[in-house]
Amino acid sequence: MLFNSVEFLFFLPVVFGIYWLVLRKRESRNLFLLAASYVFYGWWDVTFLFLIFLTSVSSFFSGLYIGRSTGETGKRIMLWSNVVLNIGILCVYKYFNFFSSGFASLMSAVGWEVDAVTLQLILPVGISFYTFQALSYVIDVKRGHIGATTDFISFMAFISFFPQLVAGPIERATNLLPQFLSQRVFNYEKAVAGMRLILWGLFKKMVVADNCAPIVDSIFGNFAEAGTVNLWVGAFLFTIQIYCDFSGYSDIAVGVARLFSIDLMRNFQLPYFSKDINEFWKRWHISLTSWFRDYMYIPLGGNRQGKWKRVRNTVIVFLTSGLWHGANYTFIVWGGYHALLYIPSVFISKKKGASPANSTPGVVRPVLMMGFTFMLVMIGWIIFRASTISEACDYIRLMFTPVHANVIEGKRAICWSLIMLAGEWAGRKYESPVDLFSRGIGRNTPVRWGLYVALFLVELLLSGTAEQFIYFQF
Protein backbone atom coordinates (compact mmCIF):
# COMPACT_ATOMS: atom_id res chain seq x y z
CA MET A 1 0.00 0.00 0.00
CA LEU A 2 1.10 3.56 -0.66
CA PHE A 3 1.97 6.06 2.07
CA ASN A 4 -0.37 8.55 0.40
CA SER A 5 -3.32 6.12 0.18
CA VAL A 6 -6.57 5.88 2.13
CA GLU A 7 -5.59 2.36 3.17
CA PHE A 8 -2.41 3.58 4.84
CA LEU A 9 -4.35 6.39 6.53
CA PHE A 10 -6.24 3.67 8.43
CA PHE A 11 -3.38 1.16 8.64
CA LEU A 12 -0.88 3.39 10.45
CA PRO A 13 -3.10 4.54 13.37
CA VAL A 14 -4.29 0.97 13.99
CA VAL A 15 -0.74 -0.40 14.02
CA PHE A 16 0.47 2.52 16.18
CA GLY A 17 -2.37 2.08 18.68
CA ILE A 18 -1.99 -1.67 19.11
CA TYR A 19 1.81 -1.38 19.28
CA TRP A 20 1.82 1.14 22.16
CA LEU A 21 -1.52 0.67 23.94
CA VAL A 22 -2.06 -3.08 23.79
CA LEU A 23 1.39 -4.66 23.62
CA ARG A 24 4.02 -4.24 26.33
CA LYS A 25 6.83 -6.73 25.75
CA ARG A 26 9.55 -6.28 23.14
CA GLU A 27 8.95 -9.78 21.75
CA SER A 28 5.23 -9.24 21.19
CA ARG A 29 5.84 -5.83 19.60
CA ASN A 30 8.40 -7.27 17.21
CA LEU A 31 6.05 -10.10 16.26
CA PHE A 32 3.27 -7.61 15.68
CA LEU A 33 5.49 -5.34 13.56
CA LEU A 34 6.51 -8.39 11.53
CA ALA A 35 2.87 -9.30 10.91
CA ALA A 36 1.95 -5.68 10.09
CA SER A 37 4.90 -5.42 7.69
CA TYR A 38 3.84 -8.57 5.86
CA VAL A 39 0.30 -7.19 5.54
CA PHE A 40 1.76 -3.92 4.22
CA TYR A 41 3.96 -5.72 1.68
CA GLY A 42 1.40 -8.33 0.72
CA TRP A 43 -1.09 -5.58 -0.10
CA TRP A 44 0.49 -5.35 -3.57
CA ASP A 45 0.68 -9.08 -4.25
CA VAL A 46 0.59 -11.79 -1.62
CA THR A 47 2.95 -13.94 -3.70
CA PHE A 48 5.73 -11.41 -3.01
CA LEU A 49 5.76 -12.59 0.60
CA PHE A 50 7.39 -15.89 -0.30
CA LEU A 51 10.47 -14.15 -1.71
CA ILE A 52 11.06 -11.83 1.21
CA PHE A 53 10.49 -14.75 3.58
CA LEU A 54 13.07 -16.85 1.68
CA THR A 55 15.60 -14.01 1.68
CA SER A 56 15.05 -13.39 5.40
CA VAL A 57 15.27 -17.04 6.47
CA SER A 58 18.32 -17.81 4.33
CA SER A 59 20.13 -14.74 5.66
CA PHE A 60 19.22 -15.48 9.29
CA PHE A 61 20.56 -19.04 9.19
CA SER A 62 23.59 -18.06 7.10
CA GLY A 63 24.48 -15.47 9.72
CA LEU A 64 23.89 -18.00 12.49
CA TYR A 65 26.18 -20.54 10.85
CA ILE A 66 28.91 -17.97 10.21
CA GLY A 67 28.68 -16.70 13.77
CA ARG A 68 29.02 -20.18 15.28
CA SER A 69 31.53 -21.67 12.85
CA THR A 70 35.21 -21.69 13.70
CA GLY A 71 36.46 -22.58 10.24
CA GLU A 72 37.23 -19.73 7.88
CA THR A 73 36.55 -21.87 4.80
CA GLY A 74 33.11 -22.84 6.02
CA LYS A 75 32.26 -19.21 6.77
CA ARG A 76 33.34 -18.18 3.29
CA ILE A 77 31.33 -20.92 1.63
CA MET A 78 28.20 -20.00 3.61
CA LEU A 79 28.63 -16.30 2.85
CA TRP A 80 28.98 -16.87 -0.87
CA SER A 81 26.12 -19.37 -0.90
CA ASN A 82 23.87 -16.72 0.60
CA VAL A 83 25.12 -14.06 -1.83
CA VAL A 84 24.59 -16.34 -4.84
CA LEU A 85 21.10 -17.32 -3.66
CA ASN A 86 19.85 -13.79 -3.05
CA ILE A 87 21.59 -12.14 -5.99
CA GLY A 88 20.33 -15.05 -8.08
CA ILE A 89 16.73 -14.38 -7.04
CA LEU A 90 17.21 -10.69 -7.80
CA CYS A 91 18.70 -11.42 -11.22
CA VAL A 92 15.96 -13.87 -12.23
CA TYR A 93 13.15 -11.48 -11.40
CA LYS A 94 14.81 -8.26 -12.45
CA TYR A 95 17.41 -9.02 -15.11
CA PHE A 96 16.74 -12.41 -16.75
CA ASN A 97 14.77 -11.05 -19.71
CA PHE A 98 17.24 -8.18 -20.14
CA PHE A 99 20.28 -10.43 -20.32
CA SER A 100 18.45 -13.04 -22.40
CA SER A 101 17.48 -10.43 -25.01
CA GLY A 102 20.98 -8.98 -24.95
CA PHE A 103 22.52 -12.41 -25.54
CA ALA A 104 20.14 -13.08 -28.45
CA SER A 105 21.03 -9.71 -30.00
CA LEU A 106 24.74 -10.40 -29.60
CA MET A 107 24.43 -13.81 -31.29
CA SER A 108 22.40 -12.23 -34.10
CA ALA A 109 25.13 -9.64 -34.63
CA VAL A 110 27.70 -12.40 -35.27
CA GLY A 111 25.37 -14.32 -37.58
CA TRP A 112 23.76 -16.84 -35.20
CA GLU A 113 20.02 -16.55 -34.84
CA VAL A 114 19.00 -17.38 -31.27
CA ASP A 115 15.52 -16.91 -29.85
CA ALA A 116 15.47 -14.96 -26.61
CA VAL A 117 13.98 -16.89 -23.71
CA THR A 118 11.76 -14.65 -21.60
CA LEU A 119 9.99 -15.22 -18.30
CA GLN A 120 6.58 -13.76 -17.52
CA LEU A 121 7.42 -12.63 -14.01
CA ILE A 122 6.11 -9.66 -12.03
CA LEU A 123 8.95 -7.65 -10.51
CA PRO A 124 8.41 -7.72 -6.72
CA VAL A 125 8.15 -4.25 -5.24
CA GLY A 126 11.35 -3.12 -3.50
CA ILE A 127 13.24 -6.40 -4.07
CA SER A 128 16.56 -4.59 -4.59
CA PHE A 129 16.19 -2.77 -1.28
CA TYR A 130 15.49 -5.68 1.06
CA THR A 131 17.95 -7.94 -0.81
CA PHE A 132 20.80 -5.47 -0.22
CA GLN A 133 19.75 -5.03 3.41
CA ALA A 134 19.83 -8.78 4.00
CA LEU A 135 23.19 -9.16 2.23
CA SER A 136 24.78 -6.43 4.34
CA TYR A 137 23.82 -8.31 7.51
CA VAL A 138 25.50 -11.56 6.45
CA ILE A 139 28.60 -9.72 5.21
CA ASP A 140 28.85 -7.73 8.47
CA VAL A 141 28.57 -10.93 10.52
CA LYS A 142 31.38 -12.46 8.43
CA ARG A 143 33.49 -9.33 8.95
CA GLY A 144 32.83 -9.33 12.68
CA HIS A 145 31.09 -5.95 12.65
CA ILE A 146 28.03 -7.43 14.37
CA GLY A 147 27.31 -10.65 16.18
CA ALA A 148 24.90 -13.13 14.62
CA THR A 149 21.50 -12.82 16.25
CA THR A 150 19.60 -15.83 17.55
CA ASP A 151 16.33 -13.90 17.75
CA PHE A 152 14.48 -15.07 14.65
CA ILE A 153 11.44 -12.78 15.02
CA SER A 154 13.54 -9.66 15.61
CA PHE A 155 15.63 -10.45 12.55
CA MET A 156 12.58 -11.04 10.37
CA ALA A 157 11.13 -7.71 11.56
CA PHE A 158 14.45 -5.99 10.82
CA ILE A 159 14.38 -7.15 7.18
CA SER A 160 10.69 -6.41 6.61
CA PHE A 161 10.13 -3.26 8.72
CA PHE A 162 7.33 -1.67 6.72
CA PRO A 163 8.30 2.06 6.70
CA GLN A 164 11.52 1.42 4.78
CA LEU A 165 10.75 -1.95 3.21
CA VAL A 166 10.02 -1.07 -0.39
CA ALA A 167 12.13 2.04 -1.08
CA GLY A 168 14.64 2.33 1.72
CA PRO A 169 16.68 3.69 3.23
CA ILE A 170 18.74 0.50 2.99
CA GLU A 171 19.55 0.04 6.65
CA ARG A 172 22.57 -1.66 8.16
CA ALA A 173 22.13 -4.32 10.77
CA THR A 174 24.62 -2.45 12.97
CA ASN A 175 22.13 0.42 13.26
CA LEU A 176 18.65 -1.07 12.95
CA LEU A 177 18.84 -4.63 14.32
CA PRO A 178 19.97 -3.63 17.86
CA GLN A 179 16.87 -1.43 18.07
CA PHE A 180 14.67 -4.50 17.54
CA LEU A 181 16.69 -6.40 20.13
CA SER A 182 16.10 -3.80 22.85
CA GLN A 183 13.01 -2.57 24.67
CA ARG A 184 11.50 0.57 23.16
CA VAL A 185 9.76 3.35 25.09
CA PHE A 186 7.45 5.93 23.54
CA ASN A 187 9.24 9.23 23.06
CA TYR A 188 6.92 12.19 22.55
CA GLU A 189 9.58 14.55 21.15
CA LYS A 190 10.75 11.89 18.69
CA ALA A 191 7.18 11.22 17.59
CA VAL A 192 6.54 14.96 17.02
CA ALA A 193 9.72 15.23 14.96
CA GLY A 194 8.55 12.19 13.02
CA MET A 195 5.18 13.77 12.27
CA ARG A 196 6.91 16.89 10.95
CA LEU A 197 8.98 14.74 8.60
CA ILE A 198 5.85 12.93 7.45
CA LEU A 199 4.12 16.24 6.76
CA TRP A 200 7.00 17.54 4.67
CA GLY A 201 7.46 14.21 2.88
CA LEU A 202 3.79 14.18 1.89
CA PHE A 203 4.09 17.73 0.59
CA LYS A 204 7.05 16.80 -1.59
CA LYS A 205 5.31 13.68 -2.90
CA MET A 206 1.67 14.75 -3.25
CA VAL A 207 1.95 18.43 -4.13
CA VAL A 208 5.28 18.64 -5.94
CA ALA A 209 6.12 15.23 -7.45
CA ASP A 210 2.55 14.28 -8.35
CA ASN A 211 1.93 17.65 -10.01
CA CYS A 212 5.16 17.30 -11.97
CA ALA A 213 4.42 13.74 -13.12
CA PRO A 214 1.75 14.36 -15.81
CA ILE A 215 3.72 17.25 -17.32
CA VAL A 216 6.87 15.12 -17.43
CA ASP A 217 4.97 12.21 -19.00
CA SER A 218 3.45 14.52 -21.61
CA ILE A 219 6.73 16.16 -22.61
CA PHE A 220 8.85 13.00 -22.62
CA GLY A 221 6.10 11.11 -24.43
CA ASN A 222 6.04 13.65 -27.27
CA PHE A 223 9.44 15.30 -26.98
CA ALA A 224 9.98 15.57 -30.75
CA GLU A 225 7.07 18.04 -30.98
CA ALA A 226 7.41 19.73 -27.57
CA GLY A 227 9.55 22.72 -28.48
CA THR A 228 12.82 23.84 -26.92
CA VAL A 229 11.46 25.59 -23.83
CA ASN A 230 9.17 22.68 -22.98
CA LEU A 231 12.07 20.23 -23.30
CA TRP A 232 13.95 22.24 -20.68
CA VAL A 233 10.78 22.36 -18.57
CA GLY A 234 10.40 18.59 -18.84
CA ALA A 235 14.01 17.97 -17.84
CA PHE A 236 13.76 20.38 -14.91
CA LEU A 237 10.45 18.97 -13.67
CA PHE A 238 11.67 15.37 -13.84
CA THR A 239 14.75 16.39 -11.89
CA ILE A 240 12.43 17.79 -9.22
CA GLN A 241 9.92 14.93 -9.51
CA ILE A 242 12.38 12.12 -8.89
CA TYR A 243 13.90 13.97 -5.94
CA CYS A 244 10.59 14.85 -4.30
CA ASP A 245 9.17 11.41 -5.01
CA PHE A 246 12.13 9.52 -3.54
CA SER A 247 13.23 11.89 -0.77
CA GLY A 248 9.56 12.39 0.10
CA TYR A 249 9.24 8.63 0.59
CA SER A 250 12.41 8.61 2.72
CA ASP A 251 11.14 11.48 4.90
CA ILE A 252 7.86 9.65 5.49
CA ALA A 253 9.70 6.39 6.20
CA VAL A 254 12.00 8.01 8.77
CA GLY A 255 9.04 9.86 10.30
CA VAL A 256 6.82 6.77 10.58
CA ALA A 257 9.67 4.76 12.11
CA ARG A 258 10.07 7.40 14.81
CA LEU A 259 6.45 6.90 15.81
CA PHE A 260 7.62 3.45 16.93
CA SER A 261 10.76 4.88 18.59
CA ILE A 262 12.98 3.49 15.85
CA ASP A 263 15.64 5.63 14.18
CA LEU A 264 16.42 5.21 10.49
CA MET A 265 19.35 6.84 8.71
CA ARG A 266 18.94 10.02 6.69
CA ASN A 267 18.84 9.15 2.99
CA PHE A 268 19.04 12.63 1.44
CA GLN A 269 20.79 15.80 2.51
CA LEU A 270 19.83 18.61 0.14
CA PRO A 271 21.59 17.06 -2.89
CA TYR A 272 20.52 19.77 -5.34
CA PHE A 273 22.50 22.34 -3.37
CA SER A 274 25.74 20.46 -4.00
CA LYS A 275 28.68 22.35 -5.46
CA ASP A 276 30.15 19.42 -7.40
CA ILE A 277 29.29 15.84 -8.40
CA ASN A 278 31.41 14.38 -5.62
CA GLU A 279 29.35 16.28 -3.07
CA PHE A 280 26.11 15.35 -4.86
CA TRP A 281 26.82 11.65 -4.37
CA LYS A 282 27.49 12.20 -0.69
CA ARG A 283 24.02 13.73 -0.38
CA TRP A 284 21.90 11.66 -2.80
CA HIS A 285 20.50 8.21 -1.82
CA ILE A 286 23.07 8.04 0.94
CA SER A 287 22.17 4.52 2.05
CA LEU A 288 22.82 3.04 -1.42
CA THR A 289 25.95 5.10 -2.06
CA SER A 290 27.44 4.05 1.27
CA TRP A 291 26.40 0.42 0.61
CA PHE A 292 28.36 0.33 -2.64
CA ARG A 293 31.27 2.08 -0.96
CA ASP A 294 31.50 -0.42 1.91
CA TYR A 295 30.63 -3.65 0.11
CA MET A 296 32.08 -3.09 -3.37
CA TYR A 297 34.36 -0.06 -3.70
CA ILE A 298 36.53 -0.72 -0.63
CA PRO A 299 36.81 -4.52 -1.24
CA LEU A 300 37.94 -3.73 -4.81
CA GLY A 301 40.77 -1.71 -3.32
CA GLY A 302 39.13 1.66 -2.77
CA ASN A 303 41.69 4.46 -2.75
CA ARG A 304 44.59 2.28 -1.67
CA GLN A 305 46.08 1.11 -4.98
CA GLY A 306 46.82 4.26 -6.94
CA LYS A 307 44.70 6.68 -8.89
CA TRP A 308 44.13 4.55 -12.00
CA LYS A 309 42.81 1.61 -10.01
CA ARG A 310 40.68 4.08 -8.09
CA VAL A 311 39.28 5.17 -11.46
CA ARG A 312 38.60 1.52 -12.32
CA ASN A 313 36.84 0.96 -9.01
CA THR A 314 34.80 4.13 -9.46
CA VAL A 315 33.63 3.08 -12.93
CA ILE A 316 32.68 -0.41 -11.73
CA VAL A 317 30.67 0.98 -8.83
CA PHE A 318 28.81 3.55 -10.92
CA LEU A 319 27.98 1.07 -13.69
CA THR A 320 26.74 -1.44 -11.10
CA SER A 321 24.73 1.28 -9.38
CA GLY A 322 23.15 2.14 -12.73
CA LEU A 323 22.25 -1.50 -13.36
CA TRP A 324 20.84 -1.76 -9.81
CA HIS A 325 18.21 0.78 -10.83
CA GLY A 326 16.78 -1.37 -13.58
CA ALA A 327 17.17 -3.68 -16.57
CA ASN A 328 17.72 -1.07 -19.26
CA TYR A 329 20.80 0.22 -21.05
CA THR A 330 19.77 3.77 -20.16
CA PHE A 331 20.46 3.08 -16.48
CA ILE A 332 23.91 1.69 -17.28
CA VAL A 333 24.72 4.70 -19.45
CA TRP A 334 23.42 6.98 -16.68
CA GLY A 335 25.83 5.29 -14.27
CA GLY A 336 28.68 5.65 -16.78
CA TYR A 337 27.81 9.32 -17.29
CA HIS A 338 28.14 10.00 -13.56
CA ALA A 339 31.36 8.00 -13.44
CA LEU A 340 32.82 10.32 -16.08
CA LEU A 341 31.70 13.35 -14.08
CA TYR A 342 33.14 11.89 -10.87
CA ILE A 343 36.54 10.75 -12.21
CA PRO A 344 38.17 14.24 -12.34
CA SER A 345 37.84 14.44 -8.54
CA VAL A 346 40.20 11.46 -8.34
CA PHE A 347 42.99 13.56 -9.83
CA ILE A 348 42.14 16.85 -8.13
CA SER A 349 43.20 16.97 -4.50
CA LYS A 350 41.47 19.30 -2.07
CA LYS A 351 42.84 20.56 1.20
CA LYS A 352 41.12 18.90 4.09
CA GLY A 353 38.32 21.02 5.49
CA ALA A 354 38.35 23.45 2.57
CA SER A 355 36.35 23.74 -0.61
CA PRO A 356 36.64 26.06 -3.60
CA ALA A 357 33.35 27.70 -2.64
CA ASN A 358 34.58 28.50 0.85
CA SER A 359 37.84 29.98 -0.41
CA THR A 360 36.07 32.74 -2.33
CA PRO A 361 34.28 35.53 -0.51
CA GLY A 362 30.64 36.21 -1.31
CA VAL A 363 27.95 33.94 -2.66
CA VAL A 364 28.34 34.27 -6.43
CA ARG A 365 30.78 31.42 -6.96
CA PRO A 366 28.97 28.89 -4.71
CA VAL A 367 25.66 29.69 -6.45
CA LEU A 368 27.25 29.27 -9.88
CA MET A 369 28.77 25.96 -8.80
CA MET A 370 25.42 24.73 -7.49
CA GLY A 371 23.73 25.79 -10.73
CA PHE A 372 26.34 24.07 -12.88
CA THR A 373 26.16 20.86 -10.82
CA PHE A 374 22.36 20.94 -10.99
CA MET A 375 22.58 21.25 -14.79
CA LEU A 376 24.91 18.26 -15.05
CA VAL A 377 22.64 16.18 -12.83
CA MET A 378 19.59 17.25 -14.86
CA ILE A 379 21.19 16.07 -18.11
CA GLY A 380 21.83 12.74 -16.40
CA TRP A 381 18.19 12.44 -15.37
CA ILE A 382 17.16 12.77 -19.03
CA ILE A 383 19.18 9.62 -19.77
CA PHE A 384 17.65 7.96 -16.71
CA ARG A 385 14.06 8.85 -17.74
CA ALA A 386 14.32 8.05 -21.44
CA SER A 387 13.13 4.70 -22.80
CA THR A 388 16.20 4.20 -24.99
CA ILE A 389 19.66 5.69 -25.37
CA SER A 390 18.81 7.08 -28.82
CA GLU A 391 15.72 8.76 -27.34
CA ALA A 392 17.86 10.36 -24.64
CA CYS A 393 20.35 11.62 -27.23
CA ASP A 394 17.56 13.05 -29.39
CA TYR A 395 15.96 14.74 -26.38
CA ILE A 396 19.23 16.38 -25.33
CA ARG A 397 20.01 17.42 -28.93
CA LEU A 398 16.60 19.02 -29.36
CA MET A 399 17.04 20.95 -26.10
CA PHE A 400 19.74 22.96 -27.87
CA THR A 401 17.79 23.30 -31.13
CA PRO A 402 15.64 26.47 -31.13
CA VAL A 403 12.05 25.41 -31.83
CA HIS A 404 9.09 27.57 -30.81
CA ALA A 405 6.20 26.03 -28.84
CA ASN A 406 2.72 27.55 -28.83
CA VAL A 407 2.05 26.68 -25.19
CA ILE A 408 4.54 26.50 -22.32
CA GLU A 409 3.59 23.56 -20.10
CA GLY A 410 3.93 23.00 -16.38
CA LYS A 411 3.72 26.51 -14.95
CA ARG A 412 1.92 25.35 -11.81
CA ALA A 413 4.36 22.49 -11.30
CA ILE A 414 7.29 24.88 -11.74
CA CYS A 415 5.84 27.17 -9.04
CA TRP A 416 5.50 24.28 -6.57
CA SER A 417 9.02 23.13 -7.42
CA LEU A 418 10.49 26.55 -6.69
CA ILE A 419 8.51 26.79 -3.44
CA MET A 420 9.89 23.40 -2.40
CA LEU A 421 13.48 24.40 -3.21
CA ALA A 422 13.07 27.70 -1.36
CA GLY A 423 11.62 25.86 1.63
CA GLU A 424 14.48 23.36 1.73
CA TRP A 425 17.03 26.15 1.52
CA ALA A 426 15.32 28.12 4.29
CA GLY A 427 15.20 25.02 6.48
CA ARG A 428 18.65 23.69 5.55
CA LYS A 429 19.88 23.86 9.16
CA TYR A 430 17.00 21.69 10.34
CA GLU A 431 15.70 18.24 9.54
CA SER A 432 12.94 19.69 7.41
CA PRO A 433 11.41 23.11 6.68
CA VAL A 434 8.43 22.17 8.85
CA ASP A 435 10.75 22.55 11.85
CA LEU A 436 10.65 26.28 11.12
CA PHE A 437 6.97 26.26 12.13
CA SER A 438 8.03 26.00 15.78
CA ARG A 439 10.41 28.97 15.52
CA GLY A 440 9.61 32.68 15.70
CA ILE A 441 5.86 33.32 15.76
CA GLY A 442 5.42 29.54 15.62
CA ARG A 443 6.37 29.38 19.29
CA ASN A 444 2.78 30.42 19.83
CA THR A 445 0.90 27.11 19.91
CA PRO A 446 -2.24 28.22 17.97
CA VAL A 447 -0.08 29.77 15.24
CA ARG A 448 2.09 26.65 15.00
CA TRP A 449 -0.90 24.35 14.70
CA GLY A 450 -2.47 26.73 12.20
CA LEU A 451 0.61 26.31 10.00
CA TYR A 452 0.48 22.51 10.35
CA VAL A 453 -3.20 22.47 9.38
CA ALA A 454 -2.61 24.86 6.47
CA LEU A 455 0.13 22.64 5.03
CA PHE A 456 -2.04 19.55 5.49
CA LEU A 457 -4.92 21.24 3.65
CA VAL A 458 -2.57 22.21 0.81
CA GLU A 459 -1.64 18.54 0.51
CA LEU A 460 -5.27 17.47 0.43
CA LEU A 461 -6.63 20.15 -1.89
CA LEU A 462 -3.73 20.92 -4.24
CA SER A 463 -2.12 17.52 -4.72
CA GLY A 464 -1.74 15.99 -8.14
CA THR A 465 -3.13 12.66 -9.27
CA ALA A 466 -1.75 9.97 -6.95
CA GLU A 467 1.22 8.25 -8.56
CA GLN A 468 3.13 5.20 -7.39
CA PHE A 469 6.55 6.06 -5.96
CA ILE A 470 9.14 5.90 -8.75
CA TYR A 471 11.65 3.85 -6.78
CA PHE A 472 9.14 1.06 -6.10
CA GLN A 473 10.14 -0.36 -9.49
CA PHE A 474 13.75 -0.70 -8.37
Side-chain angles (χ1 to χ4, degrees), residues 97-113:
N97 292 346
F98 173 71
F99 286 121
S100 177
S101 299
F103 177 76
S105 299
L106 179 63
M107 291 297 99
S108 178
V110 297
W112 294 352
E113 293 300 326

Side-chain angles (χ1 to χ4, degrees), residues 269-341:
Q269 195 169 0
L270 306 177
Y272 289 161
F273 298 121
S274 302
K275 293 181 284 294
D276 55 48
I277 290 296
N278 190 314
E279 184 181 348
F280 172 80
W281 281 106
K282 291 178 181 177
R283 294 168 173 261
W284 176 274
H285 201 174
I286 299 168
S287 63
L288 181 66
T289 304
S290 61
W291 198 99
F292 277 115
R293 178 198 65 207
D294 294 343
Y295 301 112
M296 179 174 285
Y297 182 76
I298 292 176
L300 283 171
N303 302 339
R304 302 187 303 273
Q305 300 174 342
K307 290 185 177 180
W308 287 110
K309 286 191 176 179
R310 184 180 173 188
V311 169
R312 178 203 66 184
N313 299 340
T314 298
V315 171
I316 290 173
V317 167
F318 272 106
L319 292 179
T320 307
S321 175
L323 186 62
W324 178 91
H325 284 82
N328 194 319
Y329 291 110
T330 55
F331 296 124
I332 299 174
V333 172
W334 172 77
Y337 168 80
H338 274 279
L340 291 176
L341 296 179

Side-chain angles (χ1 to χ4, degrees), residues 200-470:
W200 183 244
L202 288 173
F203 173 78
K204 286 198 286 187
K205 167 58 180 170
M206 297 172 65
V207 179
V208 184
D210 286 351
N211 273 305
C212 289
I215 308 301
V216 170
D217 291 343
S218 173
I219 293 173
F220 273 83
N222 190 35
F223 70 91
E225 309 296 330
T228 306
V229 174
N230 280 332
L231 291 176
W232 282 92
V233 169
F236 172 76
L237 290 183
F238 181 67
T239 301
I240 298 300
Q241 179 197 355
I242 194 167
Y243 168 68
C244 287
D245 193 280
F246 193 15
S247 70
Y249 180 96
S250 295
D251 287 346
I252 298 168
V254 173
V256 171
R258 287 187 184 174
L259 297 180
F260 300 94
S261 285
I262 292 176
D263 292 312
L264 300 179
M265 69 179 295
R266 185 172 186 178
N267 212 15
F268 292 86
Q269 195 169 0
L270 306 177
Y272 289 161
F273 298 121
S274 302
K275 293 181 284 294
D276 55 48
I277 290 296
N278 190 314
E279 184 181 348
F280 172 80
W281 281 106
K282 291 178 181 177
R283 294 168 173 261
W284 176 274
H285 201 174
I286 299 168
S287 63
L288 181 66
T289 304
S290 61
W291 198 99
F292 277 115
R293 178 198 65 207
D294 294 343
Y295 301 112
M296 179 174 285
Y297 182 76
I298 292 176
L300 283 171
N303 302 339
R304 302 187 303 273
Q305 300 174 342
K307 290 185 177 180
W308 287 110
K309 286 191 176 179
R310 184 180 173 188
V311 169
R312 178 203 66 184
N313 299 340
T314 298
V315 171
I316 290 173
V317 167
F318 272 106
L319 292 179
T320 307
S321 175
L323 186 62
W324 178 91
H325 284 82
N328 194 319
Y329 291 110
T330 55
F331 296 124
I332 299 174
V333 172
W334 172 77
Y337 168 80
H338 274 279
L340 291 176
L341 296 179
Y342 193 94
I343 285 171
S345 68
V346 173
F347 298 96
I348 301 172
S349 60
K350 293 182 180 180
K351 293 182 179 180
K352 191 174 182 180
S355 70
N358 293 334
S359 63
T360 303
V363 297
V364 175
R365 182 167 180 173
V367 169
L368 290 176
M369 293 172 72
M370 289 179 193
F372 182 65
T373 302
F374 183 90
M375 185 75 67
L376 293 176
V377 171
M378 185 173 72
I379 297 296
W381 286 132
I382 296 171
I383 302 170
F384 188 95
R385 175 62 173 75
S387 300
T388 64
I389 297 170
S390 61
E391 182 180 299
C393 292
D394 288 340
Y395 191 110
I396 295 169
R397 176 179 58 81
L398 290 172
M399 286 174 67
F400 297 93
T401 304
V403 177
H404 177 70
N406 294 326
V407 178
I408 306 302
E409 299 186 53
K411 294 177 183 177
R412 175 179 172 181
I414 292 172
C415 288
W416 284 123
S417 300
L418 295 176
I419 289 170
M420 182 279 302
L421 289 172
E424 295 233 316
W425 179 257
R428 64 191 180 279
K429 295 182 180 179
Y430 305 100
E431 255 196 328
S432 80
V434 180
D435 288 350
L436 293 171
F437 289 3
S438 60
R439 270 74 181 174
I441 61 172
R443 290 192 178 94
N444 182 288
T445 301
V447 172
R448 182 169 67 253
W449 277 96
L451 293 171
Y452 291 151
V453 171
L455 181 57
F456 184 67
L457 289 175
V458 166
E459 293 166 2
L460 287 180
L461 301 176
L462 299 175
S463 62
T465 303
E467 300 277 348
Q468 180 166 291
F469 288 87
I470 293 173

Side-chain angles (χ1 to χ4, degrees), residues 26-282:
R26 175 187 64 84
E27 294 81 2
S28 59
R29 285 176 174 170
N30 286 345
L31 181 60
F32 177 68
L33 277 182
L34 173 61
S37 297
Y38 271 57
V39 170
F40 176 86
Y41 191 59
W43 204 265
W44 280 281
D45 190 328
V46 72
T47 59
F48 293 168
L49 295 177
F50 171 74
L51 291 177
I52 191 172
F53 181 79
L54 177 59
T55 293
S56 301
V57 170
S58 65
S59 300
F60 173 79
F61 285 105
S62 295
L64 206 59
Y65 178 87
I66 292 171
R68 291 177 175 177
S69 176
T70 56
E72 196 61 32
T73 301
K75 291 181 179 181
R76 239 186 335 260
I77 292 173
M78 181 56 70
L79 170 63
W80 282 105
S81 297
N82 182 263
V83 170
V84 169
L85 172 65
N86 286 298
I87 293 296
I89 293 172
L90 181 62
C91 286
V92 167
Y93 277 87
K94 194 168 183 177
Y95 303 110
F96 183 88
N97 292 346
F98 173 71
F99 286 121
S100 177
S101 299
F103 177 76
S105 299
L106 179 63
M107 291 297 99
S108 178
V110 297
W112 294 352
E113 293 300 326
V114 177
D115 292 331
V117 178
T118 58
L119 302 176
Q120 301 303 314
L121 297 174
I122 300 174
L123 180 65
V125 176
I127 186 172
S128 298
F129 288 89
Y130 70 71
T131 297
F132 271 35
Q133 185 158 312
L135 287 175
S136 70
Y137 165 76
V138 180
I139 295 171
D140 283 348
V141 171
K142 171 63 174 61
R143 291 176 174 178
H145 294 169
I146 189 173
T149 181
T150 58
D151 190 329
F152 181 72
I153 298 300
S154 294
F155 180 81
M156 298 290 285
F158 151 71
I159 295 294
S160 64
F161 187 43
F162 74 88
Q164 46 91 221
L165 172 58
V166 293
I170 304 170
E171 277 292 345
R172 306 296 180 83
T174 50
N175 173 49
L176 186 54
L177 184 55
Q179 297 184 65
F180 282 99
L181 296 173
S182 59
Q183 182 66 25
R184 295 176 292 279
V185 179
F186 181 74
N187 186 309
Y188 176 79
E189 287 75 19
K190 185 180 289 188
V192 169
M195 290 299 294
R196 288 174 181 157
L197 277 172
I198 293 170
L199 198 58
W200 183 244
L202 288 173
F203 173 78
K204 286 198 286 187
K205 167 58 180 170
M206 297 172 65
V207 179
V208 184
D210 286 351
N211 273 305
C212 289
I215 308 301
V216 170
D217 291 343
S218 173
I219 293 173
F220 273 83
N222 190 35
F223 70 91
E225 309 296 330
T228 306
V229 174
N230 280 332
L231 291 176
W232 282 92
V233 169
F236 172 76
L237 290 183
F238 181 67
T239 301
I240 298 300
Q241 179 197 355
I242 194 167
Y243 168 68
C244 287
D245 193 280
F246 193 15
S247 70
Y249 180 96
S250 295
D251 287 346
I252 298 168
V254 173
V256 171
R258 287 187 184 174
L259 297 180
F260 300 94
S261 285
I262 292 176
D263 292 312
L264 300 179
M265 69 179 295
R266 185 172 186 178
N267 212 15
F268 292 86
Q269 195 169 0
L270 306 177
Y272 289 161
F273 298 121
S274 302
K275 293 181 284 294
D276 55 48
I277 290 296
N278 190 314
E279 184 181 348
F280 172 80
W281 281 106
K282 291 178 181 177

